[in-house]
Amino acid sequence: MNQNPLRILGIETSCDETAAAIYSTDGGVSSNVLFSQIDMHKRFGGVVPEIASRSHLEKIQGIINDALEQAHVTLDDIDVIAVTTKPGLPGSLLVGVCFAKALSWAKEKQIIGVNHLEAHIFSSCIENNVPFPHLCIAASGGHTSLYLVRDFGVYECIGQTRDDAAGEAFDKVAKMLDLPYPGGPEIEKLATEVGFKDFFSYPRSKHLALDLSFSGLKTAVLYDLVARNAYDLKTKKLLSDSLELKQQVASSLLVCVRDMLTTVIERALKQYPEIQAVTFVGGVACNKYLRQSLQDAASKYQKPFFAPAPKYCGDNGAMIAFVGHYKAQRQEFSDLFLDILH
Ligand code: AMP
Ligand code: MG
């Protein structure tokens, strides 16, 4: 294992954020720069792949320059370039990977391809000393999975959603309620206003062992709104502008998602007594109520709980650089044949 200090440039363009960061093995994260395209996709109610890749192309050079500048380094000071190769939107991933390969070739730097999900899994370790093995709950707009994490880069998926992701459930219900995209923060805000009560008792998915399911929940919310004469299925329009109704739906939804997540955590902790800690990562981990609830579930079993700072929950370059550092220490380098989705 190479024990010399290493400085890594991390590049992330898998979806709708152009991100770059510098991480060094002796100083941690020294810059973490991000351009979010959310405002460009808002009016379409979701990410438009073509717009996303074009925007990455426009922004990537400036974002990398900013990351270097904020860390007070130049490309010459970088030892390794780490870049997301999968999963993600192909057109978006290609921008980051092609840019990273061009830099690697021109500046004769080592390059490492990083799996975006692995980067989320270890994002809780950027600022915390998390013991192994631990249980990681990764919840984002596209994925919701449970991992048994044995060491850096060594993990197995022990449960996952069978349909929609948790973030997707928030986004889709928010759309039904005429709330802006992304829906998660809006749902959290409305639920906070009414104190996280379970007004409508939506059905919880059961009997799925360590797996989850959120698509039935989304349908349950829809038909409950229809039954209240608050939603028209034909025109797909909300018929009510009652703030109280929106608050009650948001609150009931969040409580329901909490119950589903805490149920699988408790099952996993019983099934794998070797687990030393619980982590919560991904964009949904920005949710303060869920963070607290998952922490409570972990402490019931005397397990410490870790969630990354919000800036490391959503997509970011620091988590890519972080994976780059332990892969570089193990000499797990890629080469210029590096491709997306492999
Ligand atoms: P990611 O896919 O990791 O970029 O995360 C984006 C997803 O996280 C979207 O589905 C958001 O709705 C969700 N999200 C972001 N903030 C929150 C929050 N405060 N509560 C719940 N979900 C959230
Ligand atoms: Mg992500």
Side-chain angles (χ1 to χ4, degrees):
M1 199 185 267
N2 184 350
Q3 292 302 350
N4 294 330
L6 289 169
R7 192 177 281 119
I8 297 102
L9 164 64
I11 301 173
E12 155 65 37
T13 64
S14 67
C15 189
D16 59 345
E17 263 107 20
T18 315
I22 313 292
Y23 179 89
S24 60
T25 50
D26 51 352
V29 179
S30 49
S31 69
N32 185 45
V33 181
L34 180 137
F35 172 76
S36 169
Q37 304 173 358
I38 278 183
D39 289 340
M40 308 169 83
H41 300 291
K42 239 178 190 156
R43 69 189 179 100
F44 302 103
V47 178
V48 183
E50 185 66 19
I51 294 175
S53 52
R54 270 184 218 196
S55 170
H56 285 306
L57 207 52
E58 282 167 18
K59 293 286 175 191
I60 190 160
Q61 172 120 45
I63 292 290
I64 291 174
N65 286 345
D66 288 352
L68 292 165
E69 204 171 291
Q70 288 181 25
H72 308 292
V73 294
T74 69
L75 268 180
D76 294 327
D77 304 312
I78 298 296
D79 299 297
V80 181
I81 299 167
V83 61
T84 307
T85 57
K86 66 176 178 186
L89 299 170
S92 293
L93 289 164
L94 264 178
V95 175
V97 170
C98 291
F99 205 92
K101 288 206 289 191
L103 282 182
S104 157
W105 178 75
K107 292 296 214 175
E108 297 183 354
K109 303 292 177 188
Q110 296 276 18
I111 187 167
I112 293 176
V114 173
N115 179 321
H116 178 91
L117 298 176
E118 178 171 339
H120 274 299
I121 293 171
F122 292 94
S123 60
S124 58
C125 304
I126 297 175
E127 293 182 314
N128 302 293
N129 215 342
V130 185
F132 296 110
H134 63 250
L135 174 70
C136 171
I137 297 92
S140 67
H143 305 268
T144 300
S145 305
L146 263 70
Y147 296 94
L148 183 58
V149 186
R150 298 191 185 279
D151 197 354
F152 288 117
V154 185
Y155 54 92
E156 66 183 282
C157 181
I158 56 170
Q160 60 189 318
T161 178
R162 295 192 179 177
D163 37 60
D164 293 352
E168 202 175 346
F170 290 129
D171 295 338
K172 286 183 173 165
V173 171
K175 202 170 177 180
M176 286 176 211
L177 297 177
D178 269 347
L179 299 169
Y181 171 86
E186 304 290 329
I187 297 282
E188 180 173 22
K189 186 171 151 275
L190 289 169
T192 310
E193 289 162 5
V194 287
F196 309 106
K197 289 194 200 77
D198 190 8
F199 295 95
F200 300 144
S201 302
Y202 298 131
R204 277 76 169 143
S205 60
K206 288 184 195 128
H207 313 305
L208 295 175
L210 298 182
D211 280 351
L212 293 147
S213 165
F214 295 102
S215 140
L217 171 58
K218 172 194 67 189
T219 311
V221 175
L222 178 68
Y223 283 98
D224 186 67
L225 284 171
V226 171
R228 290 173 200 279
N229 293 322
Y231 194 87
D232 182 32
L233 277 177
K234 276 207 191 98
T235 56
K236 295 188 176 162
K237 289 256 179 306
L238 189 70
L239 302 173
S240 158
D241 55 7
S242 156
L243 173 63
E244 191 186 2
L245 178 68
K246 290 184 186 185
Q247 288 168 327
Q248 293 181 346
V249 171
S251 186
S252 308
L253 175 72
L254 190 49
V255 171
C256 188
V257 170
R258 175 206 65 190
D259 285 352
M260 289 198 234
L261 293 178
T262 52
T263 299
V264 287
I265 289 172
E266 295 193 17
R267 283 184 189 156
L269 290 175
K270 282 186 199 144
Q271 196 170 327
Y272 297 94
E274 69 268 36
I275 288 171
Q276 302 294 312
V278 176
T279 70
F280 183 33
V281 305
V284 176
C286 286
N287 189 294
K288 291 197 193 79
Y289 174 74
L290 290 177
R291 283 167 92 99
Q292 187 58 53
S293 304
L294 269 55
Q295 171 150 28
D296 294 345
S299 33
K300 240 170 87 180
Y301 290 78
Q302 290 84 44
K303 307 293 179 194
F305 173 85
F306 302 90
K311 64 184 171 195
Y312 301 138
C313 285
D315 295 344
N316 64 88
M319 66 180 190
I320 307 302
F322 187 79
V323 173
H325 105 268
Y326 62 71
K327 281 186 175 275
Q329 285 176 328
R330 294 169 178 171
Q331 307 281 311
E332 290 172 12
F333 297 110
S334 311
D335 58 28
L336 290 178
F337 289 103
L338 184 67
D339 203 353
I340 61 161
L341 306 173
H342 277 272

